[in-house]
Amino acid sequence: MSSTSSAPPWDVHRLPRAEGSVFLVTGGNAGIGYFIAEQLAATGATVVLGSRDPARAEAALASIRSRVPDARVRAVRLDLADLSSLSTVAQSLEVSALDAVVHNAGVALDDPPRRETGDGHELMFGTNHLGHFALTGRLMPLLAAAPAARVVTVGSFAAKSERLDLDDLQSRRNYLPKRAYGRSKLAQMHFGLELDRRLRALGSPVASLVVHPGGALDSLTPPRPPVHARSLGTKLRAAPAALLLQGKHAGAWPAVRAVLDPGTHGGQLWGPRHFGLRGTPRQEAVWSHLADSGVAARLWDASRALTDVDPGDL
C-alpha cells in the first residue's frame, strides 16, 4: 500500500473533505460514474458531470442533491465521440483550475455490426479511448493550474485478458464487439500509465492513475430513481453473485480513492481488494502486459495522429 503508517485507514464511508476542489466526472449521469459523482459530492467539492444527454444529467443532479445536502454539482455537455466538440469543454467548465478529471464514460456494444463515430473511428475505441485522450489534452492547462491535479482513468477487468493489435486499432478486421470493448479499455489504461510517465519526465505536478471497478453489476447496485431502479425480485436473484461481485456504488470506490487519497500516486493501478472483483480499494501490481511501455508509446503516437491532440504537450 502507498499510504503512510501515520495515516488513518481508508474508509469508503468516511471520505476526507475536499471543499474548494473541482472535479469533472465523464459519464457522471449513470452507472459507476453516477456513484463516483455522488460520493465526491459528499466531500464538499464542486463536482461537474460530463454528459452528452442533458435530460439524464439533470436527473442525476436531482438525485445527488436529494442525497447530499448542499451538494455543489452541475453538468456540462460532453460528447466524447465528437472530437471537434471537445475544444470548448475547458471553457464551458468556467473554472481557473481543475483538481481532477475522472475518465469514466464509455460505450459497450454487445452485438455487430461494427459502428463508427462521426469522425470515422470505431465507436468504442473512438469514444472510450480517443475521446478521453483528446479531452485530456484540452483540459491540461486547467489541470496544470491546480496544485496537484489528478487524471484518473477508469479501465476494466475485461482488459486483463486482451492485447492490443497495434496494426488494427480500429478493429476493421474480424470485428468482435466484446473483444473490441476490452481492447478499448486496455487502450485507456495504457494511456493513463503512459501519461504519467510523460508527466513525470516533464516535472509536472499533475499525476495520472488507473483504476478498475472489478465486477460491478446493476443488479447489486442500490436504487437511485430515476437514475437507477432495482426491483425486489432482481435483488433476490442477484444475491448469490454478491459472493464474488459487487454493485456499481462499490465499483466507484477505487476511482474515488484515486482522486482523494494523498497516499496514492501517479502510475499506480487500483482495484477491488478481493480477487480484483469486489471489496474496498487497494493498490494492485500493474498487469504485466499493461506495463509494456513500448506498446503504450506506439499507441500514444497513433492516438496523437488520429486526434491531432497531444496531452503531454504542456
mmCIF file of all heavy atoms in Angstrom, residues 30-83:
data_model
loop_
_atom_site.group_PDB
_atom_site.id
_atom_site.type_symbol
_atom_site.label_atom_id
_atom_site.label_comp_id
_atom_site.label_asym_id
_atom_site.label_seq_id
_atom_site.Cartn_x
_atom_site.Cartn_y
_atom_site.Cartn_z
ATOM 1 N N ALA A 30 -24.785 8.317 -15.006
ATOM 2 C CA ALA A 30 -25.313 6.954 -14.904
ATOM 3 C C ALA A 30 -24.211 5.991 -14.474
ATOM 4 O O ALA A 30 -23.012 6.296 -14.545
ATOM 5 C CB ALA A 30 -25.897 6.504 -16.251
ATOM 6 N N GLY A 31 -24.638 4.800 -14.017
ATOM 7 C CA GLY A 31 -23.707 3.723 -13.720
ATOM 8 C C GLY A 31 -22.667 4.086 -12.684
ATOM 9 O O GLY A 31 -22.934 4.815 -11.717
ATOM 10 N N ILE A 32 -21.470 3.590 -12.867
ATOM 11 C CA ILE A 32 -20.379 3.840 -11.931
ATOM 12 C C ILE A 32 -20.078 5.334 -11.853
ATOM 13 O O ILE A 32 -19.801 5.872 -10.774
ATOM 14 C CB ILE A 32 -19.134 3.045 -12.349
ATOM 15 C CG1 ILE A 32 -19.378 1.543 -12.134
ATOM 16 C CG2 ILE A 32 -17.903 3.498 -11.563
ATOM 17 C CD1 ILE A 32 -18.321 0.659 -12.733
ATOM 18 N N GLY A 33 -20.150 6.017 -12.984
ATOM 19 C CA GLY A 33 -19.876 7.452 -12.989
ATOM 20 C C GLY A 33 -20.803 8.223 -12.081
ATOM 21 O O GLY A 33 -20.384 9.173 -11.410
ATOM 22 N N TYR A 34 -22.081 7.817 -12.035
ATOM 23 C CA TYR A 34 -23.015 8.489 -11.138
ATOM 24 C C TYR A 34 -22.557 8.346 -9.691
ATOM 25 O O TYR A 34 -22.559 9.318 -8.920
ATOM 26 C CB TYR A 34 -24.437 7.929 -11.283
ATOM 27 C CG TYR A 34 -25.318 8.412 -10.156
ATOM 28 C CD1 TYR A 34 -25.931 9.654 -10.226
ATOM 29 C CD2 TYR A 34 -25.462 7.666 -8.983
ATOM 30 C CE1 TYR A 34 -26.682 10.141 -9.160
ATOM 31 C CE2 TYR A 34 -26.213 8.141 -7.919
ATOM 32 C CZ TYR A 34 -26.814 9.378 -8.009
ATOM 33 O OH TYR A 34 -27.542 9.857 -6.948
ATOM 34 N N PHE A 35 -22.175 7.151 -9.287
ATOM 35 C CA PHE A 35 -21.785 6.931 -7.894
ATOM 36 C C PHE A 35 -20.445 7.597 -7.569
ATOM 37 O O PHE A 35 -20.234 8.048 -6.437
ATOM 38 C CB PHE A 35 -21.764 5.437 -7.582
ATOM 39 C CG PHE A 35 -23.145 4.859 -7.447
ATOM 40 C CD1 PHE A 35 -23.752 4.215 -8.505
ATOM 41 C CD2 PHE A 35 -23.856 5.008 -6.269
ATOM 42 C CE1 PHE A 35 -25.037 3.706 -8.393
ATOM 43 C CE2 PHE A 35 -25.146 4.510 -6.138
ATOM 44 C CZ PHE A 35 -25.743 3.856 -7.205
ATOM 45 N N ILE A 36 -19.544 7.678 -8.543
ATOM 46 C CA ILE A 36 -18.324 8.462 -8.326
ATOM 47 C C ILE A 36 -18.699 9.906 -8.027
ATOM 48 O O ILE A 36 -18.191 10.513 -7.077
ATOM 49 C CB ILE A 36 -17.403 8.382 -9.563
ATOM 50 C CG1 ILE A 36 -16.853 6.964 -9.751
ATOM 51 C CG2 ILE A 36 -16.243 9.381 -9.423
ATOM 52 C CD1 ILE A 36 -16.102 6.775 -11.060
ATOM 53 N N ALA A 37 -19.599 10.455 -8.829
ATOM 54 C CA ALA A 37 -20.016 11.852 -8.633
ATOM 55 C C ALA A 37 -20.730 12.034 -7.305
ATOM 56 O O ALA A 37 -20.470 13.014 -6.581
ATOM 57 C CB ALA A 37 -20.919 12.277 -9.788
ATOM 58 N N GLU A 38 -21.622 11.123 -6.949
ATOM 59 C CA GLU A 38 -22.349 11.238 -5.682
ATOM 60 C C GLU A 38 -21.394 11.195 -4.498
ATOM 61 O O GLU A 38 -21.512 11.997 -3.558
ATOM 62 C CB GLU A 38 -23.373 10.114 -5.574
ATOM 63 C CG GLU A 38 -24.192 10.163 -4.292
ATOM 64 C CD GLU A 38 -25.123 8.961 -4.151
ATOM 65 O OE1 GLU A 38 -26.170 8.940 -4.807
ATOM 66 O OE2 GLU A 38 -24.777 8.035 -3.372
ATOM 67 N N GLN A 39 -20.450 10.266 -4.522
ATOM 68 C CA GLN A 39 -19.517 10.136 -3.406
ATOM 69 C C GLN A 39 -18.576 11.333 -3.320
ATOM 70 O O GLN A 39 -18.280 11.824 -2.217
ATOM 71 C CB GLN A 39 -18.752 8.816 -3.541
ATOM 72 C CG GLN A 39 -19.640 7.596 -3.317
ATOM 73 C CD GLN A 39 -18.987 6.286 -3.736
ATOM 74 O OE1 GLN A 39 -17.762 6.147 -3.689
ATOM 75 N NE2 GLN A 39 -19.799 5.318 -4.147
ATOM 76 N N LEU A 40 -18.099 11.829 -4.444
ATOM 77 C CA LEU A 40 -17.240 13.009 -4.423
ATOM 78 C C LEU A 40 -18.012 14.252 -3.971
ATOM 79 O O LEU A 40 -17.465 15.110 -3.276
ATOM 80 C CB LEU A 40 -16.622 13.244 -5.801
ATOM 81 C CG LEU A 40 -15.574 12.232 -6.257
ATOM 82 C CD1 LEU A 40 -15.123 12.532 -7.686
ATOM 83 C CD2 LEU A 40 -14.365 12.207 -5.318
ATOM 84 N N ALA A 41 -19.286 14.340 -4.342
ATOM 85 C CA ALA A 41 -20.093 15.490 -3.926
ATOM 86 C C ALA A 41 -20.241 15.540 -2.413
ATOM 87 O O ALA A 41 -20.348 16.629 -1.831
ATOM 88 C CB ALA A 41 -21.465 15.428 -4.596
ATOM 89 N N ALA A 42 -20.234 14.376 -1.769
ATOM 90 C CA ALA A 42 -20.389 14.330 -0.317
ATOM 91 C C ALA A 42 -19.178 14.888 0.423
ATOM 92 O O ALA A 42 -19.240 15.100 1.634
ATOM 93 C CB ALA A 42 -20.654 12.892 0.132
ATOM 94 N N THR A 43 -18.075 15.154 -0.291
ATOM 95 C CA THR A 43 -16.875 15.710 0.350
ATOM 96 C C THR A 43 -16.889 17.226 0.398
ATOM 97 O O THR A 43 -15.966 17.835 0.957
ATOM 98 C CB THR A 43 -15.610 15.261 -0.402
ATOM 99 O OG1 THR A 43 -15.574 15.906 -1.693
ATOM 100 C CG2 THR A 43 -15.570 13.751 -0.573
ATOM 101 N N GLY A 44 -17.878 17.859 -0.201
ATOM 102 C CA GLY A 44 -17.931 19.312 -0.247
ATOM 103 C C GLY A 44 -17.294 19.907 -1.480
ATOM 104 O O GLY A 44 -17.312 21.135 -1.652
ATOM 105 N N ALA A 45 -16.729 19.075 -2.348
ATOM 106 C CA ALA A 45 -16.125 19.574 -3.576
ATOM 107 C C ALA A 45 -17.209 19.985 -4.568
ATOM 108 O O ALA A 45 -18.369 19.578 -4.463
ATOM 109 C CB ALA A 45 -15.247 18.493 -4.195
ATOM 110 N N THR A 46 -16.813 20.775 -5.553
ATOM 111 C CA THR A 46 -17.673 21.031 -6.707
ATOM 112 C C THR A 46 -17.465 19.905 -7.703
ATOM 113 O O THR A 46 -16.325 19.635 -8.116
ATOM 114 C CB THR A 46 -17.330 22.375 -7.360
ATOM 115 O OG1 THR A 46 -17.616 23.427 -6.441
ATOM 116 C CG2 THR A 46 -18.134 22.581 -8.632
ATOM 117 N N VAL A 47 -18.542 19.232 -8.073
ATOM 118 C CA VAL A 47 -18.456 18.093 -8.986
ATOM 119 C C VAL A 47 -19.230 18.427 -10.252
ATOM 120 O O VAL A 47 -20.403 18.817 -10.189
ATOM 121 C CB VAL A 47 -19.011 16.814 -8.345
ATOM 122 C CG1 VAL A 47 -18.906 15.633 -9.315
ATOM 123 C CG2 VAL A 47 -18.262 16.500 -7.048
ATOM 124 N N VAL A 48 -18.560 18.287 -11.386
ATOM 125 C CA VAL A 48 -19.171 18.574 -12.682
ATOM 126 C C VAL A 48 -19.379 17.258 -13.413
ATOM 127 O O VAL A 48 -18.435 16.479 -13.591
ATOM 128 C CB VAL A 48 -18.286 19.515 -13.514
ATOM 129 C CG1 VAL A 48 -18.995 19.881 -14.818
ATOM 130 C CG2 VAL A 48 -17.923 20.763 -12.725
ATOM 131 N N LEU A 49 -20.607 17.016 -13.822
ATOM 132 C CA LEU A 49 -20.941 15.813 -14.568
ATOM 133 C C LEU A 49 -20.810 16.106 -16.059
ATOM 134 O O LEU A 49 -21.473 17.008 -16.584
ATOM 135 C CB LEU A 49 -22.367 15.353 -14.273
ATOM 136 C CG LEU A 49 -22.644 14.603 -12.965
ATOM 137 C CD1 LEU A 49 -22.282 15.443 -11.752
ATOM 138 C CD2 LEU A 49 -24.105 14.176 -12.896
ATOM 139 N N GLY A 50 -19.958 15.367 -16.739
ATOM 140 C CA GLY A 50 -19.859 15.478 -18.187
ATOM 141 C C GLY A 50 -20.812 14.481 -18.817
ATOM 142 O O GLY A 50 -20.695 13.278 -18.582
ATOM 143 N N SER A 51 -21.753 14.969 -19.620
ATOM 144 C CA SER A 51 -22.782 14.094 -20.170
ATOM 145 C C SER A 51 -23.198 14.581 -21.546
ATOM 146 O O SER A 51 -23.298 15.785 -21.780
ATOM 147 C CB SER A 51 -24.001 14.058 -19.244
ATOM 148 O OG SER A 51 -25.065 13.340 -19.821
ATOM 149 N N ARG A 52 -23.495 13.644 -22.439
ATOM 150 C CA ARG A 52 -23.983 14.031 -23.763
ATOM 151 C C ARG A 52 -25.501 14.172 -23.780
ATOM 152 O O ARG A 52 -26.070 14.601 -24.770
ATOM 153 C CB ARG A 52 -23.552 13.006 -24.811
ATOM 154 C CG ARG A 52 -24.085 11.609 -24.595
ATOM 155 C CD ARG A 52 -23.552 10.642 -25.627
ATOM 156 N NE ARG A 52 -24.006 9.279 -25.363
ATOM 157 C CZ ARG A 52 -23.661 8.236 -26.103
ATOM 158 N NH1 ARG A 52 -22.858 8.401 -27.132
ATOM 159 N NH2 ARG A 52 -24.118 7.038 -25.808
ATOM 160 N N ASP A 53 -26.182 13.777 -22.695
ATOM 161 C CA ASP A 53 -27.643 13.802 -22.625
ATOM 162 C C ASP A 53 -28.073 14.744 -21.504
ATOM 163 O O ASP A 53 -28.035 14.384 -20.330
ATOM 164 C CB ASP A 53 -28.170 12.396 -22.364
ATOM 165 C CG ASP A 53 -29.686 12.307 -22.446
ATOM 166 O OD1 ASP A 53 -30.356 13.293 -22.105
ATOM 167 O OD2 ASP A 53 -30.200 11.236 -22.836
ATOM 168 N N PRO A 54 -28.501 15.964 -21.821
ATOM 169 C CA PRO A 54 -28.863 16.940 -20.783
ATOM 170 C C PRO A 54 -29.973 16.447 -19.858
ATOM 171 O O PRO A 54 -29.945 16.724 -18.651
ATOM 172 C CB PRO A 54 -29.307 18.165 -21.595
ATOM 173 C CG PRO A 54 -28.616 18.026 -22.912
ATOM 174 C CD PRO A 54 -28.559 16.557 -23.182
ATOM 175 N N ALA A 55 -30.960 15.731 -20.388
ATOM 176 C CA ALA A 55 -32.070 15.263 -19.550
ATOM 177 C C ALA A 55 -31.587 14.262 -18.517
ATOM 178 O O ALA A 55 -31.976 14.315 -17.336
ATOM 179 C CB ALA A 55 -33.166 14.654 -20.420
ATOM 180 N N ARG A 56 -30.732 13.335 -18.922
ATOM 181 C CA ARG A 56 -30.208 12.352 -17.972
ATOM 182 C C ARG A 56 -29.280 13.024 -16.961
ATOM 183 O O ARG A 56 -29.227 12.628 -15.796
ATOM 184 C CB ARG A 56 -29.479 11.234 -18.718
ATOM 185 C CG ARG A 56 -30.383 10.394 -19.603
ATOM 186 C CD ARG A 56 -29.626 9.288 -20.286
ATOM 187 N NE ARG A 56 -29.201 8.265 -19.341
ATOM 188 C CZ ARG A 56 -28.410 7.240 -19.661
ATOM 189 N NH1 ARG A 56 -27.940 7.121 -20.904
ATOM 190 N NH2 ARG A 56 -28.063 6.352 -18.747
ATOM 191 N N ALA A 57 -28.551 14.034 -17.411
ATOM 192 C CA ALA A 57 -27.688 14.771 -16.484
ATOM 193 C C ALA A 57 -28.515 15.474 -15.418
ATOM 194 O O ALA A 57 -28.166 15.456 -14.227
ATOM 195 C CB ALA A 57 -26.833 15.779 -17.249
ATOM 196 N N GLU A 58 -29.617 16.072 -15.806
ATOM 197 C CA GLU A 58 -30.472 16.754 -14.834
ATOM 198 C C GLU A 58 -31.066 15.769 -13.834
ATOM 199 O O GLU A 58 -31.191 16.080 -12.645
ATOM 200 C CB GLU A 58 -31.584 17.515 -15.564
ATOM 201 C CG GLU A 58 -31.113 18.798 -16.232
ATOM 202 C CD GLU A 58 -30.481 19.769 -15.236
ATOM 203 O OE1 GLU A 58 -31.015 19.925 -14.116
ATOM 204 O OE2 GLU A 58 -29.437 20.363 -15.577
ATOM 205 N N ALA A 59 -31.443 14.582 -14.299
ATOM 206 C CA ALA A 59 -31.967 13.565 -13.387
ATOM 207 C C ALA A 59 -30.904 13.146 -12.376
ATOM 208 O O ALA A 59 -31.191 12.964 -11.182
ATOM 209 C CB ALA A 59 -32.453 12.356 -14.175
ATOM 210 N N ALA A 60 -29.668 13.000 -12.855
ATOM 211 C CA ALA A 60 -28.581 12.624 -11.955
ATOM 212 C C ALA A 60 -28.301 13.729 -10.942
ATOM 213 O O ALA A 60 -28.073 13.458 -9.750
ATOM 214 C CB ALA A 60 -27.321 12.313 -12.763
ATOM 215 N N LEU A 61 -28.316 14.973 -11.378
ATOM 216 C CA LEU A 61 -28.093 16.086 -10.469
ATOM 217 C C LEU A 61 -29.168 16.128 -9.385
ATOM 218 O O LEU A 61 -28.864 16.331 -8.204
ATOM 219 C CB LEU A 61 -28.087 17.400 -11.242
ATOM 220 C CG LEU A 61 -26.920 17.638 -12.207
ATOM 221 C CD1 LEU A 61 -27.138 18.917 -12.993
ATOM 222 C CD2 LEU A 61 -25.589 17.690 -11.466
ATOM 223 N N ALA A 62 -30.420 15.915 -9.784
ATOM 224 C CA ALA A 62 -31.510 15.921 -8.809
ATOM 225 C C ALA A 62 -31.350 14.804 -7.798
ATOM 226 O O ALA A 62 -31.600 14.982 -6.592
ATOM 227 C CB ALA A 62 -32.853 15.798 -9.531
ATOM 228 N N SER A 63 -30.911 13.631 -8.264
ATOM 229 C CA SER A 63 -30.715 12.502 -7.356
ATOM 230 C C SER A 63 -29.599 12.781 -6.359
ATOM 231 O O SER A 63 -29.732 12.515 -5.157
ATOM 232 C CB SER A 63 -30.396 11.237 -8.163
ATOM 233 O OG SER A 63 -30.161 10.139 -7.301
ATOM 234 N N ILE A 64 -28.486 13.336 -6.835
ATOM 235 C CA ILE A 64 -27.373 13.660 -5.931
ATOM 236 C C ILE A 64 -27.811 14.700 -4.901
ATOM 237 O O ILE A 64 -27.538 14.559 -3.701
ATOM 238 C CB ILE A 64 -26.159 14.158 -6.733
ATOM 239 C CG1 ILE A 64 -25.570 13.026 -7.582
ATOM 240 C CG2 ILE A 64 -25.085 14.719 -5.785
ATOM 241 C CD1 ILE A 64 -24.475 13.477 -8.534
ATOM 242 N N ARG A 65 -28.510 15.716 -5.361
ATOM 243 C CA ARG A 65 -28.947 16.771 -4.428
ATOM 244 C C ARG A 65 -29.914 16.245 -3.383
ATOM 245 O O ARG A 65 -29.944 16.734 -2.245
ATOM 246 C CB ARG A 65 -29.575 17.911 -5.220
ATOM 247 C CG ARG A 65 -28.567 18.721 -6.022
ATOM 248 C CD ARG A 65 -29.243 19.715 -6.938
ATOM 249 N NE ARG A 65 -28.254 20.474 -7.715
ATOM 250 C CZ ARG A 65 -28.424 20.820 -8.984
ATOM 251 N NH1 ARG A 65 -29.548 20.495 -9.615
ATOM 252 N NH2 ARG A 65 -27.492 21.499 -9.618
ATOM 253 N N SER A 66 -30.696 15.217 -3.739
ATOM 254 C CA SER A 66 -31.639 14.657 -2.777
ATOM 255 C C SER A 66 -30.943 13.832 -1.697
ATOM 256 O O SER A 66 -31.498 13.616 -0.622
ATOM 257 C CB SER A 66 -32.668 13.780 -3.503
ATOM 258 O OG SER A 66 -32.082 12.560 -3.947
ATOM 259 N N ARG A 67 -29.717 13.401 -1.971
ATOM 260 C CA ARG A 67 -28.987 12.547 -1.029
ATOM 261 C C ARG A 67 -27.837 13.260 -0.336
ATOM 262 O O ARG A 67 -27.357 12.806 0.706
ATOM 263 C CB ARG A 67 -28.451 11.308 -1.758
ATOM 264 C CG ARG A 67 -29.530 10.486 -2.469
ATOM 265 C CD ARG A 67 -28.969 9.206 -3.025
ATOM 266 N NE ARG A 67 -28.539 8.325 -1.933
ATOM 267 C CZ ARG A 67 -29.338 7.487 -1.282
ATOM 268 N NH1 ARG A 67 -30.632 7.431 -1.580
ATOM 269 N NH2 ARG A 67 -28.864 6.716 -0.325
ATOM 270 N N VAL A 68 -27.360 14.345 -0.934
ATOM 271 C CA VAL A 68 -26.206 15.078 -0.391
ATOM 272 C C VAL A 68 -26.647 16.511 -0.111
ATOM 273 O O VAL A 68 -26.770 17.317 -1.047
ATOM 274 C CB VAL A 68 -25.019 15.066 -1.363
ATOM 275 C CG1 VAL A 68 -23.835 15.834 -0.755
ATOM 276 C CG2 VAL A 68 -24.615 13.643 -1.721
ATOM 277 N N PRO A 69 -26.894 16.858 1.138
ATOM 278 C CA PRO A 69 -27.302 18.228 1.460
ATOM 279 C C PRO A 69 -26.263 19.246 0.978
ATOM 280 O O PRO A 69 -25.060 19.054 1.152
ATOM 281 C CB PRO A 69 -27.404 18.221 2.989
ATOM 282 C CG PRO A 69 -27.606 16.778 3.347
ATOM 283 C CD PRO A 69 -26.839 15.989 2.332
ATOM 284 N N ASP A 70 -26.744 20.314 0.365
ATOM 285 C CA ASP A 70 -25.875 21.406 -0.101
ATOM 286 C C ASP A 70 -24.834 20.949 -1.117
ATOM 287 O O ASP A 70 -23.740 21.523 -1.207
ATOM 288 C CB ASP A 70 -25.177 22.079 1.084
ATOM 289 C CG ASP A 70 -26.154 22.621 2.107
ATOM 290 O OD1 ASP A 70 -27.168 23.210 1.692
ATOM 291 O OD2 ASP A 70 -25.914 22.437 3.314
ATOM 292 N N ALA A 71 -25.157 19.906 -1.889
ATOM 293 C CA ALA A 71 -24.215 19.421 -2.903
ATOM 294 C C ALA A 71 -23.917 20.510 -3.924
ATOM 295 O O ALA A 71 -24.818 21.217 -4.389
ATOM 296 C CB ALA A 71 -24.792 18.202 -3.599
ATOM 297 N N ARG A 72 -22.640 20.637 -4.256
ATOM 298 C CA ARG A 72 -22.212 21.584 -5.286
ATOM 299 C C ARG A 72 -21.999 20.782 -6.574
ATOM 300 O O ARG A 72 -20.883 20.310 -6.838
ATOM 301 C CB ARG A 72 -20.925 22.292 -4.852
ATOM 302 C CG ARG A 72 -21.076 23.133 -3.595
ATOM 303 C CD ARG A 72 -19.746 23.773 -3.207
ATOM 304 N NE ARG A 72 -19.864 24.634 -2.044
ATOM 305 C CZ ARG A 72 -19.722 24.226 -0.790
ATOM 306 N NH1 ARG A 72 -19.441 22.952 -0.536
ATOM 307 N NH2 ARG A 72 -19.845 25.074 0.216
ATOM 308 N N VAL A 73 -23.046 20.606 -7.326
ATOM 309 C CA VAL A 73 -22.967 19.791 -8.542
ATOM 310 C C VAL A 73 -23.610 20.536 -9.709
ATOM 311 O O VAL A 73 -24.566 21.285 -9.538
ATOM 312 C CB VAL A 73 -23.669 18.424 -8.358
ATOM 313 C CG1 VAL A 73 -22.861 17.511 -7.468
ATOM 314 C CG2 VAL A 73 -25.085 18.590 -7.813
ATOM 315 N N ARG A 74 -23.047 20.329 -10.866
ATOM 316 C CA ARG A 74 -23.612 20.877 -12.092
ATOM 317 C C ARG A 74 -23.156 19.989 -13.250
ATOM 318 O O ARG A 74 -22.404 19.032 -13.040
ATOM 319 C CB ARG A 74 -23.196 22.332 -12.320
ATOM 320 C CG ARG A 74 -21.709 22.587 -12.289
ATOM 321 C CD ARG A 74 -21.422 24.082 -12.277
ATOM 322 N NE ARG A 74 -20.010 24.402 -12.128
ATOM 323 C CZ ARG A 74 -19.165 24.517 -13.131
ATOM 324 N NH1 ARG A 74 -19.588 24.345 -14.402
ATOM 325 N NH2 ARG A 74 -17.895 24.823 -12.926
ATOM 326 N N ALA A 75 -23.624 20.288 -14.435
ATOM 327 C CA ALA A 75 -23.310 19.447 -15.586
ATOM 328 C C ALA A 75 -22.825 20.294 -16.754
ATOM 329 O O ALA A 75 -23.185 21.471 -16.884
ATOM 330 C CB ALA A 75 -24.530 18.629 -15.998
ATOM 331 N N VAL A 76 -22.001 19.686 -17.607
ATOM 332 C CA VAL A 76 -21.617 20.284 -18.883
ATOM 333 C C VAL A 76 -21.872 19.251 -19.968
ATOM 334 O O VAL A 76 -21.797 18.037 -19.727
ATOM 335 C CB VAL A 76 -20.136 20.721 -18.912
ATOM 336 C CG1 VAL A 76 -19.881 21.833 -17.920
ATOM 337 C CG2 VAL A 76 -19.192 19.542 -18.660
ATOM 338 N N ARG A 77 -22.172 19.735 -21.138
ATOM 339 C CA ARG A 77 -22.391 18.837 -22.267
ATOM 340 C C ARG A 77 -21.044 18.307 -22.746
ATOM 341 O O ARG A 77 -20.101 19.072 -22.963
ATOM 342 C CB ARG A 77 -23.118 19.559 -23.399
ATOM 343 C CG ARG A 77 -23.555 18.621 -24.520
ATOM 344 C CD ARG A 77 -24.468 19.342 -25.501
ATOM 345 N NE ARG A 77 -24.880 18.465 -26.591
ATOM 346 C CZ ARG A 77 -25.885 17.615 -26.505
ATOM 347 N NH1 ARG A 77 -26.599 17.546 -25.383
ATOM 348 N NH2 ARG A 77 -26.198 16.837 -27.528
ATOM 349 N N LEU A 78 -20.956 16.982 -22.909
ATOM 350 C CA LEU A 78 -19.697 16.356 -23.273
ATOM 351 C C LEU A 78 -19.987 15.141 -24.144
ATOM 352 O O LEU A 78 -20.653 14.197 -23.707
ATOM 353 C CB LEU A 78 -18.940 15.918 -22.011
ATOM 354 C CG LEU A 78 -17.635 15.161 -22.197
ATOM 355 C CD1 LEU A 78 -16.596 16.053 -22.879
ATOM 356 C CD2 LEU A 78 -17.100 14.677 -20.851
ATOM 357 N N ASP A 79 -19.515 15.172 -25.384
ATOM 358 C CA ASP A 79 -19.695 14.049 -26.308
ATOM 359 C C ASP A 79 -18.323 13.575 -26.758
ATOM 360 O O ASP A 79 -17.701 14.164 -27.651
ATOM 361 C CB ASP A 79 -20.541 14.476 -27.502
ATOM 362 C CG ASP A 79 -20.879 13.306 -28.431
ATOM 363 O OD1 ASP A 79 -20.365 12.192 -28.199
ATOM 364 O OD2 ASP A 79 -21.650 13.514 -29.386
ATOM 365 N N LEU A 80 -17.847 12.504 -26.156
ATOM 366 C CA LEU A 80 -16.504 12.001 -26.440
ATOM 367 C C LEU A 80 -16.389 11.409 -27.840
ATOM 368 O O LEU A 80 -15.278 11.212 -28.339
ATOM 369 C CB LEU A 80 -16.118 10.950 -25.401
ATOM 370 C CG LEU A 80 -15.939 11.488 -23.982
ATOM 371 C CD1 LEU A 80 -15.918 10.349 -22.974
ATOM 372 C CD2 LEU A 80 -14.664 12.309 -23.873
ATOM 373 N N ALA A 81 -17.523 11.114 -28.470
ATOM 374 C CA ALA A 81 -17.491 10.567 -29.831
ATOM 375 C C ALA A 81 -17.332 11.659 -30.879
ATOM 376 O O ALA A 81 -17.148 11.362 -32.063
ATOM 377 C CB ALA A 81 -18.766 9.767 -30.096
ATOM 378 N N ASP A 82 -17.399 12.914 -30.468
ATOM 379 C CA ASP A 82 -17.263 14.056 -31.378
ATOM 380 C C ASP A 82 -16.027 14.847 -30.967
ATOM 381 O O ASP A 82 -16.081 15.717 -30.104
ATOM 382 C CB ASP A 82 -18.525 14.926 -31.292
ATOM 383 C CG ASP A 82 -18.479 16.127 -32.237
ATOM 384 O OD1 ASP A 82 -17.474 16.286 -32.964
ATOM 385 O OD2 ASP A 82 -19.447 16.912 -32.233
ATOM 386 N N LEU A 83 -14.902 14.548 -31.596
ATOM 387 C CA LEU A 83 -13.635 15.135 -31.174
ATOM 388 C C LEU A 83 -13.623 16.649 -31.325
ATOM 389 O O LEU A 83 -13.038 17.350 -30.498
ATOM 390 C CB LEU A 83 -12.484 14.514 -31.972
ATOM 391 C CG LEU A 83 -12.235 13.014 -31.736
ATOM 392 C CD1 LEU A 83 -11.102 12.523 -32.618
ATOM 393 C CD2 LEU A 83 -11.927 12.741 -30.269
#
